[in-house]
Amino acid sequence: CKILYQERKSIMKKAWRIIAVLTLALSIAAIAVCLVLGSCPKMIETAAGGSIPMKCHWTMRVCTMLAAFTALMGALQLFVKEKGAKVISAASTVTAAVCVLLTCSNIVIGVCGKEGMLCRTTTLWVRIIMVALIVVELVGVYVTTRVKHPSRMF
């Protein structure tokens, strides 16, 4: 029974490392998409004659910052050993990913209304990456909480 527990624990450690690396890779991909594709290059003319960036510019800034946070959490997950800390780090990452999804929609900041704008393509890719990140983290929580101590197996 203890040997089975040790084997399962070893497998779960490897699985958690894979989850952490996937989290880090997906977060870096989201940052790259935000920085490379970016937002619309146009500026909006104000009534006073000045110009300000479009709202998609601010969406990309927030998404980049939150993706950087998820990358940091992914890097920290490589070194976390306690089950509770793993669950908390996964919850933080999922929360940040949901914030990115809300920011990309018109609920928080949003993007330009016209179809075919560059920001629409960028946020589509960011949304896909963040949904994948949420799935990876939920699988990580499931895997982490699945290992039971031998005294609690029956």
Side-chain angles (χ1 to χ4, degrees):
C1 195
K2 284 189 179 186
I3 294 171
L4 178 64
Y5 171 72
Q6 293 299 330
E7 287 176 13
R8 288 182 78 188
K9 193 172 179 181
S10 173
I11 291 170
M12 297 306 163
K13 275 186 183 180
K14 290 176 187 172
W16 182 254
R17 288 213 186 270
I18 292 169
I19 298 287
V21 169
L22 283 173
T23 299
L24 189 57
L26 287 169
S27 300
I28 290 171
I31 293 169
V33 166
C34 287
L35 294 178
V36 172
L37 293 179
S39 60
C40 300
K42 293 183 181 179
M43 301 288 269
I44 297 175
E45 294 290 327
T46 62
S51 58
I52 58 171
M54 298 175 95
K55 70 179 182 175
C56 59
H57 168 80
W58 303 112
T59 298
M60 290 308 128
R61 283 195 164 196
V62 171
C63 289
T64 303
M65 178 192 64
L66 288 169
F69 174 77
T70 60
L72 175 66
M73 293 308 293
L76 290 175
Q77 286 175 357
L78 288 170
F79 305 105
V80 172
K81 295 186 185 332
E82 293 80 25
K83 188 191 306 188
K86 289 177 182 180
V87 171
I88 290 171
S89 67
S92 300
T93 305
V94 168
T95 302
V98 169
C99 288
V100 169
L101 293 174
L102 291 174
T103 302
C104 289
S105 69
N106 284 330
I107 295 172
V108 178
I109 298 175
V111 292
C112 299
K114 289 185 181 176
E115 292 293 326
M117 300 286 279
L118 177 63
C119 60
R120 294 283 200 144
T121 305
T122 305
T123 54
L124 173 67
W125 283 106
V126 170
R127 286 177 184 162
I128 291 169
I129 292 168
M130 287 297 134
V131 168
L133 181 67
I134 290 169
V135 169
V136 164
E137 287 297 323
L138 292 177
V139 167
V141 168
Y142 175 75
V143 165
T144 301
T145 56
R146 187 130 163 89
V147 176
K148 293 187 173 32
H149 196 273
S151 64
R152 296 183 213 143
M153 289 184 99
F154 300 105

